[in-house]
Amino acid sequence: MISPKKISILGAGQAAAYASNEIRKHDKEIKITIFSEENYLPYERPPLSKDSLTGRKKYEELSFFSNDFYNTENIQIKNNTVEEVDFEKKILITNDAQSHTYETLLIATGSKNKMLNLGESEDDINNSILYLRNIEDSKKIKQAINTHNKFAIVGGGFIGLEIASSIAQLGKVAHIIEMGSQLMGRVIPHQIASLISDYHQKNGNTVFLNSNILSIQKQNTGYQIDLNNNKIDVDCIIAGIGSIANVDLFENTALKLDNGILTDEFCRTSEKSVFAAGDVANFFHPFYNSQMRLESYQHAQNHGIAAAKNMLGYNLPYTKIPWMWSDQFDFNLQLVGLCNNYDLEVQRGDNIEEGIIYFFLKNKKIIGACGVGIAGKIGRDIRLAGKISENKVTMDIEDLQNKKIKLNKFLKI
Ligand SMILES: Cc1cc2nc3c(=O)[nH]c(=O)nc-3n(C[C@H](O)[C@H](O)[C@H](O)COP(=O)(O)OP(=O)(O)OC[C@H]3O[C@@H](n4cnc5c(N)ncnc54)[C@H](O)[C@@H]3O)c2cc1C
């Protein structure tokens, strides 16, 4: 096994931080450089829409590892945006016009927000819409919540709903505008989406489904939003309408792209000695025998670790079962495995208070599950659902529906 002497990491988020830590666990000598366009040490993003907005977690508490860690482990962080990558010459060019050669490169540039576009004539309004991706965005939204009362949240996906939940918890009101017929897209069972919609409304928010923005007018102190089915007056507009892989830098290069950077199960891209991990990678998953791109905390961490091992020559396929969560108010939503292409949906439990889970089965085998419950009510069963699906266990449907029968029974067969 021949390890490189020098590894460069483009991007300084979760995948990058955990990759650098993993490299150091295996090798104390390799030169590691992380290129970061943000002026913070790599930090976790989930609190940005939740505890950092409500004030339960300070922005200074979000770093994965301390400054001491990077110093002690001799991991160099360069606070420069990479503006160009020359894969042939193996060079990165940064915004200070410096060239940096790499031997092995990990691309971990994450994803970027889709933007609302109301047309050029509405540039004033376009520029005043807030988005959330990083600490600076979260600080701006926090400031807006301090100074305003009524918010339009455009997009009823995870991030929009988490911001709306934080707004309501701070005693303000969020009007959630969703163009689809349910919240959180079609992956989430509509029964769960509707329980969550009720929860928001019980806590003072409003939910507008099947709603498109026709126009936005600036008023003295805020905005009037004309929807196809309503009119809303708000003080501030925040959009969470989805994200895409952050690949602008590679558009005109030979690197193969398709909904992100295409990689195999070893995190290898189409370019020699170039790997990709986290949100930006559209990777091959051997268990599902298909390509997929995930935007989740746990995946970014595990994928970064897997990429590190493979850059060092371990040749280990990445086979983790997808898992993600969302926290809103006092409930927790979790998704494991795949929640599409199933032939049977099985419900266990019937309310948020006690926890409710939908299992998705194909040929009587669990391929995914989605659940929601007051904190702590569904975590164990979702974890077990992941293990059961990994073990390809044939299920007894009546037992699966029955909350009195513990799920670990299925792992003992
Ligand atoms: C507000 C928010 C809340 C979330 N909540 C949850 C949650 O509850 N549960 C969950 O499972 N997941 C959640 N996620 C998703 C999770 O945080 C991401 O999947 C994870 O951060 C992805 O890690 P990454 O390393 O791939 O990318 P990122 O963490 O996005 O890091 C990419 C980094 O690369 C930098 N970069 C990009 N281009 C360049 C360049 N040219 N030069 C230098 N640097 C560059 C970026 O500035 C960024 O710092 C949330 C995400 C957000 C934004």
Side-chain angles (χ1 to χ4, degrees):
M1 203 162 61
I2 305 163
S3 292
K5 303 231 169 339
K6 186 173 163 185
I7 294 180
S8 303
I9 305 182
L10 199 179
Q14 182 149 17
Y18 278 89
S20 69
N21 181 42
E22 188 66 21
I23 297 164
R24 263 301 166 263
K25 281 190 196 161
H26 295 265
D27 192 307
K28 298 286 173 212
E29 305 299 323
I30 293 178
K31 183 167 188 256
I32 307 173
T33 310
I34 301 179
F35 292 87
S36 173
E37 65 181 4
E38 294 194 73
N39 286 321
Y40 298 96
L41 292 175
Y43 60 89
E44 45 178 348
R45 294 178 201 274
L48 298 181
S49 49
K50 313 174 188 76
D51 288 356
S52 301
L53 288 184
T54 55
R56 288 189 202 104
K57 200 158 193 181
K58 296 195 177 104
Y59 291 105
E60 304 79 60
E61 293 169 353
L62 303 185
S63 304
F64 296 112
F65 309 116
S66 66
N67 207 355
D68 283 353
F69 163 81
Y70 296 98
N71 289 336
T72 320
E73 297 296 339
N74 195 17
I75 296 169
Q76 194 186 8
I77 300 195
K78 274 195 188 296
N79 287 108
N80 287 108
T81 304
V82 173
E83 292 190 330
E84 202 182 319
V85 183
D86 186 329
F87 291 110
E88 229 168 78
K89 295 187 183 138
K90 293 188 147 196
I91 287 174
L92 305 177
I93 298 167
T94 42
N95 57 344
D96 52 357
Q98 298 295 307
S99 296
H100 310 264
T101 52
Y102 66 81
E103 185 186 343
T104 295
L105 174 66
L106 173 62
I107 302 174
T109 46
S111 40
K112 61 176 193 172
N113 294 326
K114 287 187 187 164
M115 311 290 272
L116 268 181
N117 189 352
L118 305 166
E120 266 175 40
S121 58
E122 305 296 345
D123 264 358
D124 255 13
I125 296 176
N126 283 331
N127 295 334
S128 64
I129 297 173
L130 301 179
Y131 294 85
L132 179 53
R133 171 68 36 197
N134 55 37
I135 287 187
E136 298 309 331
D137 298 337
S138 181
K139 286 182 175 171
K140 275 189 207 152
I141 292 176
K142 193 178 165 107
Q143 171 67 17
I145 301 175
N146 283 340
T147 48
H148 298 305
N149 292 313
K150 288 179 291 174
F151 293 81
I153 303 291
V154 186
F158 292 110
I159 291 188
L161 291 174
E162 288 170 2
I163 299 171
S165 144
S166 300
I167 288 172
Q169 289 177 66
L170 292 165
K172 312 284 173 100
V173 173
H175 300 292
I176 301 155
I177 302 168
E178 167 56 47
M179 65 197 289
S181 57
Q182 69 162 73
L183 296 175
M184 294 172 292
R186 275 170 300 153
V187 218
I188 303 291
H190 67 91
Q191 300 92 329
I192 287 192
S194 114
L195 288 173
I196 290 179
S197 172
D198 292 347
Y199 217 89
H200 273 266
Q201 306 203 59
K202 256 195 298 185
N203 283 278
N205 289 341
T206 354
V207 177
F208 297 97
L209 297 176
N210 302 306
S211 297
N212 290 305
I213 297 179
L214 300 181
S215 65
I216 303 181
Q217 284 99 42
K218 215 166 181 334
Q219 293 179 323
N220 284 347
T221 56
Y223 306 88
Q224 184 185 69
I225 304 181
D226 285 347
L227 303 176
N228 53 322
N229 47 12
N230 245 301
K231 272 192 203 314
I232 330 172
D233 287 317
V234 296
D235 307 319
C236 176
I237 304 170
I238 303 171
I241 54 170
S243 34
I244 48 175
N246 196 359
V247 291
D248 292 354
L249 204 51
F250 316 110
E251 291 297 355
N252 297 314
T253 69
L255 189 68
K256 283 202 177 138
L257 306 174
D258 180 9
N259 178 28
I261 300 173
L262 282 173
T263 71
D264 63 10
E265 64 266 49
F266 304 101
C267 311
R268 293 180 300 214
T269 71
S270 59
E271 290 296 305
K272 203 163 173 274
S273 310
V274 180
F275 295 71
D279 282 14
V280 76
N282 178 356
F283 65 100
F284 180 75
H285 198 306
F287 185 77
Y288 299 108
N289 194 26
S290 67
Q291 291 290 137
M292 61 177 73
R293 191 176 81 77
L294 301 172
E295 291 176 9
S296 95
Y297 181 94
Q298 198 63 47
H299 165 67
Q301 182 163 321
N302 290 334
H303 210 207
I305 292 171
K309 288 185 180 148
N310 287 320
M311 288 190 290
L312 298 176
Y314 283 86
N315 273 340
L316 297 169
Y318 178 74
T319 56
K320 296 272 186 221
I321 298 292
W323 172 78
M324 64 91 59
W325 87 95
S326 169
D327 289 324
Q328 297 162 41
F329 300 104
D330 54 353
F331 70 78
N332 169 253
L333 176 134
Q334 296 191 27
L335 275 167
V336 70
L338 296 187
C339 303
N340 52 19
N341 289 330
Y342 50 90
D343 54 33
L344 183 66
E345 192 182 270
V346 175
Q347 179 182 345
R348 187 175 163 99
D350 48 27
N351 58 61
I352 292 192
E353 287 67 30
E354 287 306 313
I356 170 168
I357 299 182
Y358 287 85
F359 297 93
F360 306 104
L361 292 90
K362 195 165 191 177
N363 302 326
K364 287 189 127 185
K365 295 187 176 65
I366 294 179
I367 54 165
C370 171
V372 62
I374 301 299
K377 290 286 181 191
I378 51 146
R380 190 166 183 278
D381 279 356
I382 290 283
R383 206 165 42 249
L384 286 167
K387 284 207 174 121
I388 293 169
S389 112
E390 234 176 329
N391 284 286
K392 300 187 174 170
V393 180
T394 301
M395 304 302 288
D396 177 310
I397 305 303
E398 278 186 17
D399 285 358
L400 183 60
Q401 282 166 327
N402 186 348
K403 273 197 99 173
K404 290 193 185 115
I405 295 178
K406 295 211 160 118
L407 283 191
N408 53 11
K409 160 197 157 152
F410 294 104
L411 287 168
K412 289 182 188 144
I413 295 168

